[in-house]
Amino acid sequence: MLAAYAVSKKGRQPERSPDRLIPVSNPIERLNKEVKRRADVLGITEAQIMSVLRQAEGGIPVPELCREHGISSATFYKWRARYG
């Protein structure tokens, strides 16, 4: 019986590089595309992202904001890196 996916000679599935998911040479541009892609998946607009960042600047703790808006802390910090 044939396998449903390609297997290397050592019996492991070939590793997929995250760079192949977003083919961009500039790392900053790659980060921007990743942030936009995740925002699209979550259904969040740029105005909502800015609102979350303003709340953080106002003193609300980041973990509390992340729980409230259903995002990870990594997503929050990527938004902050992009939208400042």
Side-chain angles (χ1 to χ4, degrees):
M1 179 185 287
L2 295 175
Y5 54 88
V7 178
S8 68
K9 290 182 181 178
K10 294 182 181 179
R12 291 183 293 168
Q13 194 173 13
E15 295 181 16
R16 290 177 21 188
S17 170
D19 294 337
R20 290 191 332 198
L21 299 176
I22 301 174
V24 177
S25 60
N26 183 351
I28 294 173
E29 190 175 336
R30 181 180 301 128
L31 174 66
N32 289 344
K33 285 187 179 277
E34 180 68 15
V35 167
K36 283 189 132 185
R37 185 188 67 81
R38 288 189 182 186
D40 288 344
V41 169
L42 292 173
I44 296 175
T45 64
E46 288 187 19
Q48 291 171 323
I49 292 172
M50 295 304 294
S51 172
V52 171
L53 295 176
R54 275 191 232 108
Q55 289 175 3
E57 288 176 357
I60 299 176
V62 171
E64 184 178 327
L65 279 174
C66 292
R67 277 192 301 275
E68 182 180 323
H69 294 283
I71 60 171
S72 69
S73 59
T75 300
F76 172 82
Y77 289 114
K78 282 184 181 182
W79 287 354
R80 192 168 77 177
R82 178 161 194 268
Y83 297 103

